[in-house]
Amino acid sequence: MIEIVKTVAQMRSIIAKWRAEGASIGLVPTMGFLHEGHASLIDASKAQNDRTVVSDFVNPIQFAPNEDLESYPRDMEHDAALVEAHGGDIIFNPEPEEMYRGGFSTFVDMTVLTEELCGLSRPTHFRGVCTVVTKLFNIVRPDRAYFGKKDAQQLAVIKHMVDDLDMGIEIVGCPIVRENDGLAKSSRNTYLNESERKAALVLSKAIKLGSELVKNGERDCAKITAAMKELIEAQPLARIDYVKIVNAADMQQITVIDRPSLCALAVYIGKTRLIDNFFTQDIIGEV
Ligand code: AMP
């Protein structure tokens, strides 16, 4: 059975042993309830590193009080089986009290890149993400860390943080893994009932529509997002949080696609908030 490490001290001593052996280390940070999207990150880490650590930690400080911290799905037995099946070496699964010990008072925050998209709807979210990822980097000291393009703004924020703070860790972005019908895999999909699960297809349909418009030469951001919004608004169970196109480098809104850009959306299906996106570079290359 795969080892599940609960303390920072124990994790550090395992890392020290691996380092003494000269092993390279990959880190896959997750909040658990693992699926094939997470598995693809583990596979990518396995291919590039001697050892792979999967952190499995529902990080309380990236949730606002009105969000789903309490109901966030958990299944450690399932997670352990998935990590083992994909050849991960260790699961780091600390309790919140181990990560945020009494008197915890230091946070990593970021301006500019966190102002739009999810950062606008969830103002304290990226402070929580940057803080926990910095802690995980300091505990594991990986050579490389793996993040999904599913959370595109998060990927951009982490890359920027590593550069700004000279962390010296290679950040690897991995493609979005989808269900057969197109829905991006997410631990939160488990919240959806049968009719909501069908309605949730509007996200990937809107992404497909937007990317086809870009592929066919449309560069006017307002036109692209208007068409995507119209499609989503036709679904009664869907409520748009945002549909936007931003500069991929700084996550600021743009009006014309004249540089590498990110088209991202967040949509509530019932009470469940889901996200999806595409990078224009993945469709038309660098413009
Ligand atoms: P989470 O457990 O949802 O916080 O996600 C942990 C990591 O897995 C993040 O880097 C996510 O971007 C990535 N991830 C989640 N879902 C997917 C997916 N469908 N495809 C690719 N990566 C994903």
Side-chain angles (χ1 to χ4, degrees):
M1 263 304 264
I2 188 154
E3 192 176 353
I4 300 175
V5 171
K6 301 293 291 182
T7 68
V8 173
Q10 202 188 344
M11 195 65 240
R12 279 196 199 286
S13 77
I14 291 166
I15 297 290
K17 189 169 128 269
W18 287 348
R19 284 290 179 210
E21 294 165 6
S24 60
I25 298 170
L27 171 66
V28 178
T30 83
M31 296 210 300
F33 210 70
L34 304 180
H35 50 66
E36 290 306 312
H38 301 110
S40 73
L41 308 187
I42 300 171
D43 294 344
S45 174
K46 280 283 291 177
Q48 294 182 316
N49 303 280
D50 300 319
R51 298 277 186 274
T52 292
V53 177
V54 178
S55 63
D56 189 317
F57 178 61
V58 182
N59 175 35
I61 68 166
Q62 71 186 67
F63 289 79
N66 61 328
E67 293 180 349
D68 58 342
L69 174 61
E70 296 308 321
S71 57
Y72 198 83
R74 295 157 209 247
D75 186 345
M76 189 40 83
E77 229 170 276
H78 163 84
D79 290 356
L82 185 142
V83 174
E84 192 162 19
H86 284 266
D89 294 282
I90 288 276
I91 297 179
F92 181 48
N93 174 232
E95 296 303 318
E97 299 73 30
E98 173 71 3
M99 288 294 267
Y100 302 111
R101 298 176 293 276
F104 186 90
S105 47
T106 308
F107 295 88
V108 181
D109 212 347
M110 188 181 292
T111 57
V112 187
L113 272 84
T114 60
E115 285 166 3
E116 277 288 350
L117 311 177
C118 289
L120 191 61
S121 318
R122 307 178 73 190
T124 58
H125 175 68
F126 286 114
R127 176 173 118 129
V129 170
C130 288
T131 302
V132 79
V133 171
T134 299
K135 283 177 66 71
L136 290 169
F137 285 177
N138 286 336
I139 295 163
V140 176
R141 310 235 168 195
D143 298 281
R144 298 177 193 84
Y146 296 80
F147 292 85
K149 288 186 179 177
K150 156 94 187 326
D151 299 271
Q153 188 176 19
Q154 170 174 279
L155 173 61
V157 163
I158 298 297
K159 276 187 176 162
H160 208 81
M161 176 182 84
V162 164
D163 186 39
D164 278 353
L165 299 183
D166 302 306
M167 290 178 165
I169 294 166
E170 185 187 337
I171 302 302
V172 182
C174 300
I176 300 177
V177 177
R178 297 178 179 279
E179 303 286 353
N180 286 336
D181 61 6
L183 178 67
K185 290 201 185 235
S186 166
S187 308
R188 289 190 167 99
N189 291 348
T190 186
Y191 295 146
L192 303 170
N193 65 30
E194 209 178 317
S195 54
E196 288 170 341
R197 173 65 184 78
K198 281 187 194 138
L201 275 184
V202 286
L203 280 91
S204 54
K205 281 185 181 156
I207 288 300
K208 192 155 178 256
L209 172 63
S211 50
E212 268 162 16
L213 288 170
V214 172
K215 196 172 169 186
N216 294 335
E218 185 59 74
R219 297 290 178 267
D220 183 330
C221 296
K223 280 193 187 149
I224 297 164
T225 53
M228 293 169 70
K229 282 180 183 168
E230 195 182 319
L231 188 152
I232 298 166
E233 279 159 1
Q235 168 51 249
L237 295 179
R239 182 168 58 83
I240 293 174
D241 179 0
Y242 64 76
V243 180
K244 281 181 185 168
I245 299 178
V246 298
N247 179 348
D250 63 9
M251 300 282 123
Q252 299 292 305
Q253 249 187 291
I254 53 175
T255 53
V256 178
I257 298 175
D258 56 0
R259 68 201 95 185
S261 317
L262 169 71
C263 176
L265 53 79
V267 175
Y268 285 91
I269 302 293
K271 287 194 173 123
T272 305
R273 185 175 176 280
L274 299 175
I275 57 175
D276 205 339
N277 68 76
F278 67 93
F279 282 97
T280 58
Q281 308 96 287
D282 291 340
I283 293 162
I284 51 172
E286 306 273 327
V287 281

